[in-house]
Amino acid sequence: MALITSILEQLLNGLRIGSVYALIALGYTMVYGIAKMINFAHGDIIMVGAYALYVYVSLLKLPPVLAVILTIITCSVIGITIEKVAYKPLRKAQPLAVLITAIGVSYLLQNLSLLIFKATPIPFGSIIKVPSVKLAGLNISGLTIVTLVVTVAVMVGLTLFINRTRMGHAMLAVSEDKGAAELMGINVNRTISVTFAIGSALAAVAGILYISQYETLLPTLGALPGIKAFVAAVLGGIGSIPGAMFGGIILGIIESMSKAYISTQLSDAIVFSVLVVVLLVKPSGILGKLKAEKV
Amino acid sequence: MKKYGKQILYMVIAVGAYAAVMLLVNMGLLSRQMTSLIIPVCMNIILAVSLCLVVGFLGELSLGHAAFMSIGAYSGALVLKSGLPVVVSLPLAVLVGGCCAAVLGFVVGIPVLRLKGDYLAIVTLAFGEIIKSVFNAATPITGGAGGMKKIPAVTTYKNFTFVYILMLLVILLVSYLVNSRHGRAICAIRDNYIAAETIGIKVSRFKTMAFVISAFMAGMGGVIYAGNIGILKPVNFDYNTSIEILVMVVLGGMGNITGSIIAALLLTVLPEMLRGLSNYRMLVYAVVLIAMMLFNNSPMKRILVEKKNMRQAAKIQ
Amino acid sequence: MKRTAKVISMALAATMVFSTSAMAAETFIIGGIGPTTGAAASYGTSVKQGAEIAIAEINGAGGVTVGDTTYELALEWADDEASEDKAPQAYNTVMDAGANAIMGCVTSGACIAITSQTYQDGILQITPSGSAEGCIENDNAFRICFSDPEQGVAMADYMVETMGISKIAVIYNVADEYSSGIQEAFEAEVAAKGGEIVASEAFQTNDVDFNAQLTSIKNTDAEAIYVPAYYQDATYITKQAGELGMSLPFYGSDGWDGVLGTVTDASTVEGVIFTSPFCASVEDEKVVAFVSAYEEAYGATPDQFAADAYDCVYTFKAAMEQAGSIESEDMIAAMPEISVSGQTGDPITFDAAGAAVKDVKFVTIKDGAYTFVE
Amino acid sequence: MTLLEVKNLGISFGGLRAVDGLNMSIEKGALVGLIGPNGAGKTTVFNLLTGMYLPSGGSIKLEGTELVGKSPARISQEGVARTFQNIRLFSQMTVMDNVKAALHNKIKYNLAASFLHTPEYRRKEREMNERAREILQVFELEQYVDYKASNLPYGKQRKLEIARALATDPKLLLLDEPAAGMNPNETAELMETIELIREKFGVTILLIEHDMKLVGGICEYLYVLNFGTELAHGLPEEVLNDPQVITAYLGE
């Protein structure tokens, strides 16, 4: 009985961290699905979101709701700017160049925030105050529930947006074939900009929830969750929205379980091994579909 | 004839650099700080040139170069600590370090057979993290997080000659390789792997080959590192280290060996001169990465290339 | 070449001594090495500032008199980014600047990376805060702070014997030498004293989520949790324990010093007890003087790193005076004979291994402030 | 004597039969055209012949050797070379190196020779250079040897691609729309070149082309593909006047 409780509790821990991964992975998968590039800086936009919230709430003393909205706007604007300045000129370049640029952007964001806010961690209390819930002897933190609800809402919203709106259709078209989409009269640049705006807004939301959970600001806070969320997106099938959600949760549970029952030291190694194995066995991920390269 | 002229020039530079360093050190004209940079410069050149093979010539992004380096460093350090006389242990360590790294390179090469581009880059990153975790966990052998200590300081500037020869060897082998049947195959894969296949190049074989050779050399670089610092910690072989090497290759102009060498030299010496500005250093690296990529794909670059072509065309007519 | 230079400088020094006999103090350069950029920048900055306070004090009081000569102290600082790679170059940089003795490195790994060089150069090296065993292996190297095992043993004795706790859970950073060094000694000592380690949970540097470890502990019958780690880790751990509804008392190592600055709710760390050599809020004349000078100069409260550095500078002074010379060889020989009245211990002496001998003290957090355990 | 024997070849992508039940027989030394409207599956046939796609059924025999299941690299060694509809050169490499890369399996030396530039390396490289120059001369590209491939004008890029394919010393050369994007003068010149290489290199050629003048002018035999199946085959004058073929091209 005690073992079952403990396993349930660990599952819950997995869900807690997994829902954050899922939220980040949604942004990753969206940008990758449409712009066809790994936005290495996605994790760092989360960091930007966390710091932005801190600036609005603690330094400018704005009301929380306004601060959250401003944070989301800030991240979207930064996302669009990055895309325009760094990625757009490389749209026809080789993938290697785009990847290196994305790494550069990630480094740039981290080091800018290091210069502005210094390396010393800044404590920042949560603005989301939800009491925890007791369920069958299990203590579920309020934030976990909020994160899960937000993630599911975002997933549903995104799916509807892509399948039901003009912009969503445009995104699908661009993801299939940029050239053809252009010929059909779709403004590819604008579509990709919107994609980045939405992806960055999701990162902002993830940043807000992340900082509410861990309450400490660090310039590198987004790096590791970013990479792990990428693993989650690949695991679920990159480009697939339900896949990202699913992959995030699974990854969180794998991580929690390996920490609890295998080895904390090897938990990261296990997470990354999962990635390698998935890419080897089913590169399209669990819910993704593979496209053959045109010769 | 022209070709030989270039070779002679390179030889003169190689011997000249060696003579200059030896002279400066022996006359005591170099400050201790500069003296202590001699070996790191050689090491970074080895690392940059070896990474250049994968990134510049094979055209795949490896974000795990530090992992190859660490395998070499740890395995080489075990040999160095064995108590054999340095004359035996140092070359042996370099060989063992290189071979162990090459084996890992081969293991990484297996997914390489199936992946390319973004996914391959991520897998190399993942491998880097896995290796780091394993080194952290394998405390009985590696000393875990506390690090492997008391490694004899055999690759200090006093053994400059050995390290320098090793460095020259790496440069020579890589530049010879890219100018050969095998190197052309590797470059062909970079430029168009489908076309490469149809002219009979076994893509997976040459990809693996490039990874293994690059890993072998990075492993040797790792041994130099171990013998220079004397303590090995898994954290020092993280993602950031891989990126620092990548910056050298990118700044050197990807696929340009001379460029990589100069970039490695600059990026090792300059931060020391600008000590205390390390927060800005990483920022500058970030800007370098972005700016180089944007410049390489900018209209300006195209104009420059076209101008060069015009000159070339004029020469022919 | 070198020899000529030496002869000339000796001749110059001799003429200086004769011509200006009692006048114009010579300079004794302390080469300080530690991180002032990067993730560990706060430690290096504290050390640098603590040392500067001590140097200003000593110079203000007329410097250090060795024989007929009076020396002014000066600090030559080099940033090593807490990295093993950068430390050797940082060491060489301060040596190029003419350092007479080395204060550093601040972090253990970097410290170990330069020990073989400092040993070869035969220079006096005192690390204010490098707590790993390897830092003082050589005869020329000494340490001000506690060693890792020392702290672990002291806390184990305190918890088992003084507090009467028998079932203890440990959370430690397996990827950190400091944390795992304390953990090892702690667990061995608890067992030796008849206590029981019911859970030993590891985490890694930069981990922010400790729920898995805490949940495992929750399902044991542990009476207290010992966390030998830095304050940032402690912040996450105490907060997440609270969220899981755990109310076990926490014990910590000296890395907890500073935890009040990083928690968002001080009640999460109320009542914790940790080993620390220094507490800025103590009503002691010497401590008050140091704290107020530090606050005036830097607008911040000194932590134990600053205090260790302060004591380190006074140790150099004592060694110079005891040796009657500024040659490292003489100062090293004098080290076992000196006794320093410092911030982190009074008196501080040095044993044959080169470690500072001083009492371990326990600090608790009461009403949101640090105070020594009575 | 038959060089290539294709029997009942088929492949489908997600239910769509891109090529279905194709039979072909090509005589040694022949110059054969593969024509058909857009989307008829012509390039897919090339991809099947070169091993880039694995067929879902059928067999491909080159001088009696089964090619199905062999890797593209292996098939190249068996003696099949090709060009691409959208040119695929090694764009960052020089014109010379493009051709030398294709000599990969013709003039060989081992890795050690590559690393150390041994006398064997020098000898073989000299041999390669001579051979590459010979081939490039046929295409009047010899003065561009040091050019980066991507800096060549379009027409010359097409030629270089053919030169590269020939360097593998193929028995069968597949040309995918060699005249695409060329003006009538260039096309005429290309026709001469194709005739010339057949004579000079003794190679059998199968080409996909839309330019009927070119097809009618040089091909000795034609296969017509429509919706992945064979519509007709025969001598050019017969096939091009076949009402079925005309309907397929021009619509109802």
Side-chain angles (χ1 to χ4, degrees):
Chain A
M1 193 60 213
L3 184 68
I4 294 173
T5 319
S6 121
I7 290 176
L8 280 179
E9 280 176 337
Q10 295 294 4
L11 271 176
L12 214 58
N13 288 333
L15 208 59
R16 173 205 300 264
I17 184 88
S19 54
V20 176
Y21 290 158
L23 193 52
I24 307 170
L26 282 171
Y28 248 124
T29 222
M30 186 154 163
V31 170
Y32 189 90
I34 290 153
K36 292 282 179 289
M37 61 163 291
I38 296 181
N39 183 12
F40 251 90
H42 192 77
D44 301 290
I45 306 266
I46 296 165
M47 178 271 297
V48 172
Y51 274 96
L53 186 72
Y54 163 74
V55 169
Y56 294 134
V57 172
S58 289
L59 303 183
L60 301 178
K61 311 279 183 220
L62 298 178
V65 177
L66 181 63
V68 166
I69 293 170
L70 281 178
T71 300
I72 293 174
I73 293 174
T74 309
C75 285
S76 296
V77 170
I78 290 179
I80 294 175
T81 314
I82 290 172
E83 199 276 325
K84 283 262 182 288
V85 174
Y87 301 157
K88 194 177 151 217
L90 298 176
R91 206 151 291 154
K92 291 199 174 67
Q94 38 166 329
L96 187 67
V98 185
L99 207 54
I100 291 176
T101 310
I103 292 172
V105 172
S106 157
Y107 255 66
L108 186 73
L109 290 177
Q110 276 182 31
N111 286 290
L112 275 179
S113 98
L114 186 71
L115 283 181
I116 300 170
F117 297 101
K118 305 286 175 281
T120 319
I122 304 172
F124 174 45
S126 168
I127 57 158
I128 303 169
K129 296 200 165 57
V130 189
S132 60
V133 177
K134 275 231 182 268
L135 195 76
L138 297 176
N139 196 16
I140 308 175
S141 104
L143 213 60
T144 307
I145 297 169
V146 171
T147 313
L148 263 179
V149 169
V150 170
T151 309
V152 171
V154 165
M155 184 188 84
V156 173
L158 264 186
T159 312
L160 288 179
F161 174 78
I162 287 189
N163 292 325
R164 298 276 170 84
T165 64
R166 273 184 75 85
M167 189 33 105
H169 289 293
M171 283 176 180
L172 282 180
V174 171
S175 119
E176 284 294 322
D177 188 334
K178 278 190 204 112
E182 191 123 45
L183 290 176
M184 305 271 291
I186 291 170
N187 186 337
V188 172
N189 283 333
R190 205 178 120 236
T191 310
I192 290 182
S193 283
V194 173
T195 307
F196 268 85
I198 296 177
S200 306
L202 291 182
V205 174
I208 293 167
L209 290 168
Y210 182 91
I211 200 62
S212 304
Q213 183 132 213
Y214 298 111
E215 300 195 328
T216 301
L217 290 159
L218 273 169
T220 49
L221 72 83
L224 204 58
I227 290 177
K228 285 189 182 163
F230 177 80
V231 176
V234 172
L235 181 63
I238 201 147
S240 151
I241 289 173
M245 171 91 198
F246 183 68
I249 304 276
I250 294 278
L251 195 76
I253 289 173
I254 291 176
E255 191 181 313
S256 257
M257 289 295 167
S258 43
K259 266 188 190 169
Y261 301 110
I262 303 175
S263 155
T264 35
Q265 264 172 298
L266 292 177
S267 75
D268 278 0
I270 291 168
V271 165
F272 286 114
S273 306
V274 167
L275 172 79
V276 174
V277 170
V278 168
L279 284 180
L280 284 184
V281 178
K282 198 166 182 298
S284 53
I286 298 169
L287 297 179
K289 50 180 193 288
L290 190 67
K291 270 207 220 149
E293 184 162 350
K294 207 162 177 269
V295 182
Chain B
M1 211 47 227
K2 202 175 115 199
K3 209 173 170 189
Y4 283 110
K6 233 178 184 177
Q7 275 183 359
I8 291 168
L9 178 70
Y10 287 146
M11 223 131 87
V12 169
I13 293 175
V15 174
Y18 177 77
V21 170
M22 286 310 263
L23 205 68
L24 286 172
V25 169
N26 287 332
M27 290 180 66
L29 291 175
L30 227 48
S31 70
R32 292 180 61 123
Q33 186 193 9
M34 283 300 137
T35 312
S36 67
L37 279 175
I38 295 172
I39 301 298
V41 165
C42 294
M43 177 191 81
N44 280 332
I45 289 176
I46 291 176
L47 291 170
V49 169
S50 61
L51 184 63
C52 188
L53 181 62
V54 169
V55 176
F57 295 105
L58 181 64
E60 292 291 0
L61 186 56
S62 168
L63 298 175
H65 211 55
F68 297 132
M69 183 187 163
S70 72
I71 295 267
Y74 274 100
S75 52
L78 286 176
V79 177
L80 291 179
K81 288 176 77 164
S82 66
L84 293 167
V86 178
V87 196
V88 184
S89 77
L90 183 53
L92 188 66
V94 167
L95 203 65
V96 169
C99 288
C100 290
V103 169
L104 181 79
F106 184 73
V107 174
V108 177
I110 296 169
V112 170
L113 305 182
R114 303 188 49 153
L115 302 170
K116 60 186 184 340
D118 298 355
Y119 278 2
L120 176 59
I122 289 288
V123 166
T124 56
L125 190 157
F127 262 105
E129 292 298 315
I130 293 171
I131 296 291
K132 207 177 79 186
S133 291
V134 170
F135 277 149
N136 256 329
T139 313
I141 307 166
T142 62
M148 185 185 273
K149 289 166 200 151
K150 292 189 196 156
I151 302 160
V154 287
T155 50
T156 59
Y157 69 94
K158 288 171 197 140
N159 266 336
F160 173 61
T161 310
F162 177 82
V163 178
Y164 191 75
I165 290 172
L166 196 68
M167 178 193 85
L168 284 185
L169 210 61
V170 165
I171 298 172
L172 194 79
L173 290 183
V174 172
S175 5
Y176 271 9
L177 180 72
V178 297
N179 259 316
S180 73
R181 171 176 173 261
H182 298 86
R184 272 192 296 272
I186 290 171
C187 292
I189 293 169
R190 169 196 65 195
D191 281 358
N192 199 314
Y193 80 97
I194 290 175
E197 267 183 325
T198 59
I199 58 166
I201 292 168
K202 293 193 181 92
V203 170
S204 42
R205 189 170 147 219
F206 283 92
K207 266 189 175 179
T208 316
M209 184 190 282
F211 261 87
V212 169
I213 294 169
S214 164
F216 183 88
M217 289 169 175
M220 297 201 296
V223 180
I224 305 293
Y225 174 86
N228 189 237
I229 304 289
I231 172 170
L232 295 176
K233 280 184 161 188
V235 284
N236 289 333
F237 302 100
D238 63 354
Y239 174 64
N240 291 326
T241 314
S242 297
I243 297 289
E244 286 199 31
I245 308 168
L246 180 68
V247 174
M248 292 170 192
V249 176
V250 171
L251 187 64
M254 292 213 290
N256 183 337
I257 295 174
T258 318
S260 296
I261 295 170
I262 294 169
L265 177 72
L266 281 180
L267 292 184
T268 318
V269 176
L270 271 187
E272 279 306 315
M273 318 279 280
L274 307 171
R275 186 165 269 291
L277 294 175
S278 82
N279 283 351
Y280 294 91
R281 185 179 87 225
M282 298 316 272
L283 191 73
V284 170
Y285 283 4
V287 173
V288 163
L289 283 179
I290 301 171
M292 285 299 289
M293 288 302 116
L294 290 181
F295 171 73
N296 279 345
N297 292 284
S298 67
M300 204 161 70
K301 168 91 183 235
R302 226 165 293 143
I303 291 167
L304 285 177
V305 168
E306 265 159 35
K307 265 193 188 156
K308 198 178 155 202
N309 285 340
M310 299 273 278
R311 276 203 304 275
Q312 206 171 1
K315 240 188 279 170
I316 288 166
Q317 271 139 29
Chain C
M1 185 77 194
K2 238 179 185 167
R3 176 164 293 175
T4 342
K6 208 170 181 183
V7 171
I8 293 171
S9 70
M10 273 167 68
L12 272 174
T15 45
M16 294 259 286
V17 169
F18 282 117
S19 60
T20 60
S21 51
M23 257 283 300
E26 304 255 325
T27 313
F28 181 90
I29 299 174
I30 300 171
I33 307 167
T36 42
T37 58
S42 70
Y43 310 138
T45 310
S46 284
V47 166
K48 183 167 179 250
Q49 293 173 351
E52 278 166 355
I53 295 287
I55 288 171
E57 252 180 47
I58 292 169
N59 290 343
V64 185
T65 312
V66 176
D68 299 333
T69 324
T70 304
Y71 289 93
E72 284 226 320
L73 299 184
L75 181 66
E76 183 67 38
W77 187 268
D79 180 11
D80 68 1
E81 300 170 38
S83 140
E84 286 79 10
D85 308 8
K86 308 278 180 208
Q89 275 100 15
Y91 169 64
N92 285 314
T93 309
V94 296
M95 289 305 278
D96 283 336
N100 297 88
I102 296 297
M103 176 177 73
C105 302
V106 170
T107 51
S108 290
C111 194
I112 292 170
I114 66 166
T115 47
S116 67
Q117 274 195 64
T118 61
Y119 183 61
Q120 273 172 24
D121 293 335
I123 194 164
L124 171 63
Q125 177 191 10
I126 308 181
T127 168
S129 52
S131 56
E133 296 274 275
C135 293
I136 56 165
E137 246 167 21
N138 298 327
D139 298 338
N140 67 319
F142 299 84
R143 131 166 75 224
I144 300 290
C145 66
F146 300 127
S147 74
D148 298 332
E150 220 177 311
Q151 262 198 77
V153 168
M155 186 49 106
D157 292 349
Y158 181 77
M159 286 175 79
V160 178
E161 290 177 344
T162 314
M163 303 301 287
I165 303 167
S166 58
K167 291 182 189 309
I168 301 168
V170 181
I171 303 181
Y172 69 102
N173 183 348
V174 69
D176 180 63
E177 191 171 21
Y178 160 76
S179 186
S180 49
I182 299 177
Q183 169 259 346
E184 238 169 74
F186 176 82
E187 291 187 0
E189 180 70 7
V190 167
K193 292 282 156 141
E196 189 192 342
I197 301 292
V198 292
S200 184
E201 297 289 327
F203 69 92
Q204 297 204 63
T205 314
N206 295 334
D207 273 2
V208 297
D209 196 294
F210 297 87
N211 284 297
Q213 291 93 331
L214 288 165
T215 304
S216 298
I217 291 174
K218 201 178 158 191
N219 292 310
T220 65
D221 53 354
E223 297 162 36
I225 305 176
Y226 179 52
V227 184
Y230 290 111
Y231 56 85
Q232 190 55 55
D233 308 313
T235 306
Y236 292 122
I237 292 171
T238 49
K239 174 180 181 274
Q240 288 166 18
E243 282 171 359
L244 285 172
M246 295 167 75
S247 55
L248 296 176
F250 276 101
Y251 291 81
S253 61
D254 61 357
W256 279 55
D257 189 18
V259 73
L260 280 174
T262 54
V263 290
T264 51
D265 177 2
S267 71
T268 55
V269 290
E270 183 70 20
V272 301
I273 296 175
F274 56 90
T275 39
S276 177
F278 177 73
C279 178
S281 56
V282 163
E283 298 288 325
D284 175 280
E285 196 187 329
K286 206 164 50 194
V287 175
V288 170
F290 171 58
V291 171
S292 59
Y294 193 97
E295 278 174 346
E296 196 179 316
Y298 306 109
T301 311
D303 54 14
Q304 53 157 329
F305 285 94
D308 282 332
Y310 180 93
D311 290 354
C312 191
V313 171
Y314 272 94
T315 306
F316 283 125
K317 176 173 183 272
M320 288 161 76
E321 287 168 348
Q322 179 74 31
S325 151
I326 61 158
E327 290 303 320
S328 277
E329 202 183 322
D330 303 327
M331 291 194 289
I332 292 166
M335 283 297 285
E337 298 153 26
I338 62 172
S339 167
V340 181
S341 157
Q343 297 286 342
T344 64
D346 189 5
I348 301 170
T349 56
F350 292 87
D351 64 15
V357 180
K358 55 187 185 185
D359 292 335
V360 177
K361 290 175 219 160
F362 296 91
V363 168
T364 184
I365 293 175
K366 201 173 160 193
D367 302 326
Y370 304 106
T371 164
F372 276 121
V373 174
E374 295 308 323
Chain D
M1 200 190 126
T2 313
L3 177 76
L4 182 77
E5 188 77 52
V6 174
K7 277 212 182 101
N8 204 19
L9 190 67
I11 185 171
S12 51
F13 296 109
L16 175 81
R17 299 289 295 174
V19 173
D20 199 6
L22 181 70
N23 292 304
M24 273 166 101
S25 176
I26 296 177
E27 289 297 306
K28 200 165 185 178
L31 207 172
V32 181
L34 179 62
I35 62 170
N38 274 326
K42 302 180 301 283
T43 297
T44 309
V45 172
F46 272 23
N47 288 341
L48 286 166
L49 291 178
T50 50
M52 317 203 83
Y53 292 160
L54 192 67
S56 32
S59 89
I60 304 166
K61 285 208 164 91
L62 187 78
E63 288 187 327
T65 314
E66 180 62 60
L67 298 185
V68 169
K70 291 204 162 93
S71 71
R74 183 83 210 123
I75 289 174
S76 157
Q77 277 170 282
E78 293 291 343
V80 181
R82 74 173 287 182
T83 65
F84 296 86
Q85 198 176 335
N86 47 341
I87 305 173
R88 288 179 178 271
L89 286 172
F90 305 131
S91 50
Q92 302 301 305
M93 293 163 70
T94 62
V95 168
M96 187 61 157
D97 278 348
N98 264 270
V99 178
K100 280 168 83 178
L103 291 169
H104 186 74
N105 289 320
K106 285 297 143 194
I107 303 173
K108 289 187 174 187
Y109 49 84
N110 61 21
L111 188 59
S114 279
F115 268 135
L116 302 171
H117 285 196
T118 54
E120 188 200 0
Y121 163 90
R122 283 170 212 283
R123 204 174 58 244
K124 292 282 172 68
E125 281 287 309
R126 214 175 301 129
E127 208 180 308
M128 273 190 181
N129 285 336
E130 280 162 18
R131 179 84 188 121
R133 264 176 208 284
E134 251 172 61
I135 298 170
L136 285 170
Q137 254 160 19
V138 175
F139 294 89
E140 290 165 352
L141 287 169
E142 71 272 19
Q143 73 262 46
Y144 297 102
V145 284
D146 289 329
Y147 264 56
K148 243 193 203 180
S150 59
N151 293 336
L152 284 182
Y154 181 81
K156 296 205 168 25
Q157 291 197 10
R158 281 245 172 255
K159 283 184 174 175
L160 176 58
E161 210 190 12
I162 301 174
R164 186 182 67 187
L166 281 172
T168 64
D169 193 15
K171 293 171 186 145
L172 177 65
L173 175 63
L174 309 174
L175 301 176
D176 198 345
E177 298 198 25
M182 287 189 175
N183 62 31
N185 281 340
E186 286 173 329
T187 308
E189 198 189 319
L190 180 76
M191 281 164 69
E192 277 173 36
T193 317
I194 292 175
E195 294 275 14
L196 181 73
I197 56 178
R198 180 161 66 138
E199 277 166 39
K200 206 169 157 68
F201 295 90
V203 63
T204 309
I205 297 173
L206 174 64
L207 61 85
I208 296 176
E209 195 43 74
H210 277 299
D211 190 320
M212 287 305 145
K213 224 176 107 203
L214 187 144
V215 171
I218 60 171
C219 290
E220 294 150 357
Y221 203 81
L222 292 181
Y223 282 88
V224 188
L225 220 56
N226 195 20
F227 296 119
T229 53
E230 189 196 298
L231 192 65
H233 63 94
L235 298 172
E237 50 270 35
E238 295 166 15
V239 168
L240 293 176
N241 293 320
D242 186 332
Q244 257 187 303
V245 175
I246 295 168
T247 316
Y249 262 97
L250 303 174
E252 297 297 331

